[in-house]
Amino acid sequence: MTLLDVFRSAHCPCTMECNVEAGDYPTLMPRQLHIKYYVEPDAAALARRAAQYFVEMVSEAAEAQGRAHIAISGGSTPKAAFQMLADPHQPWRARMPWQALDLYWVDERSAPPDDAESNFRMTREALLDHVPLHPCQIHRIEGELEPAAAAARYESELRSSFHLEDSQIPRFDLVALGLGEDGHTASLFPHTEAIHEVSLLVTANHVPQRKTWRVTLTWPVINHARSVFFLVAGAEKAAVLREVLTGERDPERLPSQLIWPSSGILTLILDQAAASLLPATDEEGCGVLERER
Ligand code: 6PG
């Protein structure tokens, strides 16, 4: 499926002024979205659940097609799950089919790989330094480069590692996202250019509210993944999470609302504090929401 095929549809997902005719929007945004959220009592349980989910999704993809292409986010929330995955005293390190994994990043800060700001550094210290992944399985965004150059190089890295032709787009097996208190995800920040970008796989995004540049996958690529999940923790995220999932659609202000996977299914793994304003879950800690656009 080429990027142009993906964009040939009569459905327009948003109310924003975007640089594409309304009729050109992606079929990868089905009308209905089935949202499934799993709520864990605390940070340790959240990390275990996320580690379990990573192992399940990588194993599933490895069984189905021999390889698993996973894109992960940075920030602070995934760190404990990465440490759980890497811990030899926990069950997941032994269960993960590391040899089948190709690891990518959803976004990166403008920082060299050994910088405290670097998403790559966080992942290296929490996971990569402790697990049997060969360097050719690790596809990092070169945050040390000038943002536009880093974005262009990552786009070609995706094209070569996914063996893409012309304007085909990569289909990740799993994309793991976080949620910012301002409603951003990946490096798709409110009122920034990147949320209008639908013709590139990767883009450099100027984020004036943080006086910085970021490099990020674009939302059509994220939505094209086989599975997409949010990992969210903390009471400070409860209000924005409820707004993103149940509030008025306004992706310009809440870019996380652009995440509307082509599968029609969105998964969230949450701690109790982050889920505190969502409808109550069943006795297994599972909740469901249906969304239509
Ligand atoms: C980044 C991320 C970003 C992150 C959110 C949540 O580079 O920061 O990819 O999208 O997921 O900002 O961050 P926390 O997990 O730190 O709250």
Side-chain angles (χ1 to χ4, degrees), residues 73-78 107 109 119 178-180 184-187 214 237:
S73 285
S76 55
T77 311
D107 67 335
R109 288 88 179 275
N119 286 340
L179 173 67
H184 84 264
T185 189
S187 281
R214 295 279 192 101
K237 304 277 178 76

Side-chain angles (χ1 to χ4, degrees), residues 73-96:
S73 285
S76 55
T77 311
K79 189 173 180 179
F82 295 162
Q83 289 166 330
M84 198 65 87
L85 270 174
D87 184 347
H89 307 294
Q90 297 288 340
W92 296 289
R93 189 179 188 287
R95 289 185 197 151
M96 178 68 98

Side-chain angles (χ1 to χ4, degrees), residues 11-272:
H11 305 308
C12 181
C14 70
T15 56
M16 298 181 293
E17 284 308 312
C18 295
N19 57 7
V20 177
E21 293 310 311
D24 291 350
Y25 258 83
T27 52
L28 63 127
M29 287 189 140
R31 278 216 170 275
Q32 294 224 285
L33 186 63
H34 179 71
I35 300 169
K36 205 163 186 180
Y37 53 98
Y38 301 93
V39 180
E40 296 294 335
D42 55 38
L46 185 75
R48 281 193 295 275
R49 181 84 183 230
Q52 174 69 26
Y53 191 70
F54 274 117
V55 171
E56 280 168 10
M57 299 309 280
V58 171
S59 306
E60 210 176 279
E63 260 151 55
Q65 68 236 5
R67 306 247 14 113
H69 294 84
I70 309 288
I72 55 175
S73 285
S76 55
T77 311
K79 189 173 180 179
F82 295 162
Q83 289 166 330
M84 198 65 87
L85 270 174
D87 184 347
H89 307 294
Q90 297 288 340
W92 296 289
R93 189 179 188 287
R95 289 185 197 151
M96 178 68 98
W98 298 106
Q99 75 295 343
L101 179 59
D102 274 289
L103 194 63
Y104 301 79
W105 277 257
V106 165
D107 67 335
E108 186 56 281
R109 288 88 179 275
S110 278
D114 54 0
D115 188 283
E117 268 297 297
S118 161
N119 286 340
F120 174 76
R121 176 175 162 180
M122 181 278 280
T123 314
R124 183 179 57 69
E125 291 174 346
L127 179 70
L128 303 180
D129 284 350
H130 317 287
V131 296
L133 273 180
H134 187 278
C136 68
Q137 296 175 263
I138 299 170
H139 311 268
R140 79 175 177 89
I141 300 174
E142 297 159 300
E144 66 273 26
L145 300 180
E146 190 271 325
R153 281 171 62 90
Y154 205 57
E155 175 125 0
S156 50
E157 168 71 12
L158 290 178
R159 292 196 172 287
S160 60
S161 61
F162 277 85
H163 314 293
L164 301 177
E165 276 152 35
D166 303 339
S167 56
Q168 282 185 316
I169 65 174
R171 173 158 276 179
F172 286 99
D173 297 297
L174 180 68
V175 172
L177 298 172
L179 173 67
E181 286 177 53
D182 60 358
H184 84 264
T185 189
S187 281
L188 304 169
F189 284 84
H191 310 292
T192 61
E193 273 311 305
I195 57 181
H196 299 275
E197 182 51 68
V198 295
S199 56
L200 295 172
L201 306 181
V202 186
T203 191
N205 192 26
H206 183 232
V207 186
Q209 54 266 53
R210 298 214 175 173
K211 298 188 176 54
T212 189
W213 281 83
R214 295 279 192 101
V215 173
T216 185
L217 292 181
T218 55
W219 58 266
V221 170
I222 294 172
N223 283 337
H224 197 49
R226 286 195 173 79
S227 296
V228 180
F229 88 101
F230 278 93
L231 182 65
V232 186
E236 70 281 6
K237 304 277 178 76
V240 71
L241 182 62
R242 177 178 58 182
E243 239 199 316
V244 165
L245 297 181
T246 65
E248 196 60 38
R249 267 189 74 69
D250 184 1
E252 180 79 14
R253 190 173 60 82
L254 298 168
S256 292
Q257 289 185 331
L258 288 167
I259 306 306
W260 195 286
S262 62
S263 63
I265 298 170
L266 179 63
T267 303
L268 299 101
I269 301 179
L270 313 169
D271 72 356
Q272 214 131 43

